[in-house]
Every structure is written in C-alpha cells, then in structure tokens.
Amino acid sequence: MPKAAAKSKARALVVDDEPDILDLVRITLARMGLEAQCVGTLKAARQALAADRFDFCLTDMRLPDGDGTDLVRHASASCPEMPVAMVTAYGNMESAVAAMKAGAFDFVSKPLDLRVLRELAAAALRARGRATDSLNTSDGPQTKLIGESPQILELRTLIAKLARNQAPVFISGESGTGKELAASLIHQLGPRADQPFVPVNCGAIPADLVESELFGHRKGSFTGATSDKPGLFQAAQGGTLLLDEIADLPLPMQVKLLRAIQEKSVRPVGAAKEVPVDVRIISASHLNLADAVARGAFRQDLFYRINVIDLHLPPLRERTGDIPMLVAHLLPRIAAESGSPAESLADDAMAALCNYAFPGNVRELENILERASALCESSVLTAADLRLPDLQQTPAAMSSHPSAAAPLASAPPTAQRPLAERLDAIEKPLLLDALQQSDQNPELAAARLGLSPRSLRLRRARLGLAPDDAT
C-alpha cells in the first residue's frame, strides 16, 4: 500500500547547479506533497525527461552546459503537457520574457520567494490536470467562440495553448471582435478557472482614479477615501485580470503598472508597504500599441512586458462564412430576451449581411439583429428590416468582383485605394450619423457605437472630424 501511494504522488524535475537551491526547492515541494528529482545540468535534465514522467519542471536559466530556455524548447517538443517554469536572476525581465516566448509556463526570480514558488507549483499542477481536456467538446467553453472558418479554428488552437501557461497575453483586434470573450476563454480553460476573472476597461476610469481602482487605497489617503478599499488586482487574486483598452492608461500609471507586474505586488494609495498579488495579466486594445510606442504615448518597456504573446482577433469581414452560424446563435437568444417573433432571416437578408463590411464586427451584427427584431412584426427578417447603411461589399467580396462600386455612393472608386482608406470611408459616415442621432453629444454617440468616449475622440481626430463637425 505505501508503494502504491508513492506512485500517485506528483513528481517535479528541478534543474539547478546550486546545491543549496536544490535543497530549498526539494524541501518546499515535499511540504506540498510533491516528489522532486534534482539534477544539475541540461544533459542530465534531458536524460531524466527521456527516462521518466514528470508533472512539473523548474529549471534555472543558466546551467553549466547550456541555457534553460533550450530545456524549455526541448520539453515543449517532447512532453508538451508538462508545464516548465524558469528561475531567472532578479530583475532580469528580458530573460523571463524570452523563456515564456519559448514556451515556459511561468517564471520566478532569485532569490527565491517561497510563497511565490508554492503558488507557481500549485498553478503548474492545476495546468497539468487541465492539459488533456478537449477544447472543442459540445459543452466546452470554446463553444462560445462561434464559427468554423480557418481563422476561428486557428484561434481556438492558440487559445488552448495560451490557457496552459501564465505568459502575459496581449489581445489585439478591432472594436467588437470579442477580445473580452477571448480573454475569458483563456481564463476558463487554464489553471486559474476556479478563481476570479476581473475585466476592467482602462479607458472608462477617470485618470485621477486609475491608481486607486487598480491598486486600492487606505482610509484617509485622499478626499473621499472614507474606508480601506481593495483594488482590482486584489479582487483578481489567484485569477486573471483583463486590462482592456490598456493604451488609454496615463503614462505615469504605466510606470506603476510595470512595477506591479514585475514585482507581483501592489502598493495601495496611502499604504506604507506593498501587498503581494498572484494575478495573470491579459491586456487588450483596438489600437496598434507599436505605433503608440513610436509616438511616445505608450511605454516601450511595458509594451514588451505585456506583449509576450500577441493574440490577434480577425475582423468579421475576413470570416464572412461564419455569419450564418453567428446569426443562428444570436437570433433565437435575442427573440427570447425581447419577446420578438423574429426567428429566421430571409435569403436576401442573409445575403445582405454576408456582403456588408461590418466596421463594428460581431458587436455590430448583434446590434443590427436586435434593432431589426424589435421593429419587425414578422417571424422572418428581410433585408429591408436590417436597415443596413449603404456600404460596399466586404473586402473578400471585392476580391471576387474587382469591378465593384465604391464603398459609399459619394466616395471615389476604391479599386486602387488601400484597405485603411476604404475602412475610413466606411467609418466616417457612421460616426457622423451617431453624433447626429445623439444631438452631437459625444458620450451618447460613443455609447451608441459601443466605444469609450476617449476612443471616439481618437477616431474623430484620425478622420479629421472637428468636435463640432456635423457635416
């Protein structure tokens, strides 16, 4: 019986050439119920992986006969279900980022913080337990990602890989493509699924309250601070924090966020000491962060820290084949929630949707269906019920019909115009219409478009629309 119990104990491979470190890690893991096999070289680690099975591997970055990153790559190829964590020198974030790009699950800095080590080991074992889960089962979380296009199939695969490690992820994509959904799926499919998922729109927080909202504050630290309040980092303890529209963070706050991510601790406003936090960071933005860095609007060091892995969400116009599936998913739900009789789309309505450019992506599709359902008294929605703007076909359709007309009746031919210009021609009248419908109130217009007020200001500036431009 004791022998059988020993076989069921989780096993870790620890790779380091310092005997004191090996003893410390072995004792710490033993107290967690893990059996540790310790080796001191890259060669010995490879031999151990070939000869036995391990649930978790912790390796130093610098080994006598090689680099720990090489072991990460080797393990990713030979035993991809085993999480590998890296031990790096204190403050050496470049090495940590390189290791995670190579496939490392997470990292811990020297000198070892035993609390962080225990949390890392526990998260790695949870990740190991979830590594063999099927991500495309009929009742799995990824069924929320509707579509069967090559882009969506590839996205499901990438999300599955990202869910198994703790590397910071930056989700890029236009507004309405589902960045929060993708972040939620990464969380649900990973080892932190039982802990909180906390999304926050950085552009929706007033600049003078960002630090308090993220890090918390102590009573009396500023006017109105009548009691201690934990921040969003503490609210996400053990789970995942989504920093949506991270490009909207003020530059001074970007410095403090970088430190919080690197040190895995936060200092509440008015507090004398930092508070340790165990949070996975996922960030997102519809803006090009590399351009923001070049303009000096976003810190380069923070960009490299959050952009370890970039997950790009395709716009709906690039996967029009998924539109029928999306409609079949959305329309019954909308009908049930609103009491609308609309249950299906006529052929002309489906054709109109498939030939529409969708500058607002899936969010706009949902809004179109909701509006049409609310106004339609029939069980079948027609193209007229959709009330689509008079826009050109999608770029995909244009490629099949090079002689197609301009995207707007009043715009010049676009056959030789860049995609960005064509999209601007689509976006400009939508912004002007939203402003007109909102009596030139930017906040109401932003809400109508599903944007933050700051995003609307940036788009108006980019399109050359003066604040009082209504023509």
Side-chain angles (χ1 to χ4, degrees), residues 61 67-77 84-86 88 92-107 158 161-162 165-170 280 290 300-311:
M61 173 65 74
D67 193 302
T69 308
D70 295 331
L71 181 59
V72 172
R73 296 191 183 96
H74 174 78
S76 296
V84 182
M86 181 72 69
T88 66
N92 190 353
M93 293 308 302
E94 292 79 7
S95 298
V97 169
M100 287 192 286
K101 285 185 175 180
F105 168 78
D106 204 346
F107 74 96
L158 288 173
K161 292 180 179 178
L162 296 177
N165 66 37
Q166 300 298 290
V169 177
F170 174 68
R280 182 180 189 180
Q300 186 177 50
D301 47 6
L302 179 59
F303 171 69
Y304 288 134
R305 185 65 187 89
I306 64 172
N307 194 34
V308 174
I309 301 174
D310 182 9
L311 181 68

Side-chain angles (χ1 to χ4, degrees), residues 300-331:
Q300 186 177 50
D301 47 6
L302 179 59
F303 171 69
Y304 288 134
R305 185 65 187 89
I306 64 172
N307 194 34
V308 174
I309 301 174
D310 182 9
L311 181 68
H312 179 70
L313 301 190
L316 186 54
R317 63 182 170 275
E318 293 181 5
R319 56 181 188 101
T320 54
D322 289 334
I323 289 178
M325 291 185 67
L326 287 164
V327 171
H329 172 75
L330 293 170
L331 197 55

Side-chain angles (χ1 to χ4, degrees), residues 379-434:
S379 62
V380 179
L381 296 177
T382 66
D385 293 324
L386 299 178
R387 301 187 182 187
L388 297 178
D390 185 19
L391 302 181
Q392 169 59 305
Q393 294 176 326
T394 62
M398 289 179 185
S399 64
S400 302
H401 305 283
S403 60
L408 294 169
S410 60
T414 61
Q416 283 78 39
R417 293 172 66 192
L419 177 60
E421 291 185 17
R422 297 206 298 270
L423 296 180
D424 286 350
I426 293 171
E427 188 175 3
K428 184 174 181 177
L430 292 175
L431 265 62
L432 290 173
D433 180 65

Side-chain angles (χ1 to χ4, degrees), residues 261-422:
I261 295 175
Q262 292 184 166
E263 303 303 326
K264 297 186 178 181
S265 62
V266 299
R267 185 190 299 274
V269 177
K273 296 182 180 179
E274 293 188 338
V275 178
V277 289
D278 172 28
V279 172
R280 182 180 189 180
I281 298 293
I282 298 179
S283 54
S285 177
H286 72 281
L287 298 177
N288 187 320
L289 281 193
D291 288 347
V293 170
R295 298 194 312 269
F298 198 82
R299 290 183 62 92
Q300 186 177 50
D301 47 6
L302 179 59
F303 171 69
Y304 288 134
R305 185 65 187 89
I306 64 172
N307 194 34
V308 174
I309 301 174
D310 182 9
L311 181 68
H312 179 70
L313 301 190
L316 186 54
R317 63 182 170 275
E318 293 181 5
R319 56 181 188 101
T320 54
D322 289 334
I323 289 178
M325 291 185 67
L326 287 164
V327 171
H329 172 75
L330 293 170
L331 197 55
R333 192 202 74 200
I334 292 171
E337 292 176 352
S338 64
S340 166
E343 297 178 351
S344 62
L345 261 64
D347 290 344
D348 65 337
M350 186 64 75
L353 288 179
C354 291
N355 285 321
Y356 179 60
F358 283 105
N361 295 291
V362 179
R363 184 186 295 127
E364 184 183 10
L365 171 61
E366 185 172 5
N367 290 342
I368 289 171
L369 294 177
E370 287 181 347
R371 180 185 62 204
S373 296
L375 299 176
C376 179
E377 297 182 358
S378 169
S379 62
V380 179
L381 296 177
T382 66
D385 293 324
L386 299 178
R387 301 187 182 187
L388 297 178
D390 185 19
L391 302 181
Q392 169 59 305
Q393 294 176 326
T394 62
M398 289 179 185
S399 64
S400 302
H401 305 283
S403 60
L408 294 169
S410 60
T414 61
Q416 283 78 39
R417 293 172 66 192
L419 177 60
E421 291 185 17
R422 297 206 298 270

Side-chain angles (χ1 to χ4, degrees), residues 206-292:
D208 56 344
L209 295 179
V210 173
E211 184 175 4
S212 171
E213 287 295 311
L214 291 182
F215 301 156
H217 62 253
R218 294 289 182 260
K219 178 180 179 180
S221 56
F222 56 85
T223 303
T226 57
S227 62
D228 290 354
K229 177 187 174 183
L232 294 170
F233 267 82
Q234 293 97 316
Q237 176 67 21
T240 303
L241 179 64
L242 169 62
L243 298 173
D244 199 4
E245 298 303 344
I246 192 172
D248 289 341
L249 282 179
L251 280 170
M253 190 60 216
Q254 293 178 24
V255 180
K256 297 178 180 180
L257 175 61
L258 176 63
R259 176 174 174 79
I261 295 175
Q262 292 184 166
E263 303 303 326
K264 297 186 178 181
S265 62
V266 299
R267 185 190 299 274
V269 177
K273 296 182 180 179
E274 293 188 338
V275 178
V277 289
D278 172 28
V279 172
R280 182 180 189 180
I281 298 293
I282 298 179
S283 54
S285 177
H286 72 281
L287 298 177
N288 187 320
L289 281 193
D291 288 347

Side-chain angles (χ1 to χ4, degrees), residues 142-163:
Q142 286 216 16
T143 56
K144 299 176 184 177
L145 200 58
I146 306 299
E148 293 296 335
S149 62
Q151 295 95 325
I152 290 297
L153 295 178
E154 180 181 5
L155 191 60
R156 288 197 185 109
T157 301
L158 288 173
I159 286 176
K161 292 180 179 178
L162 296 177

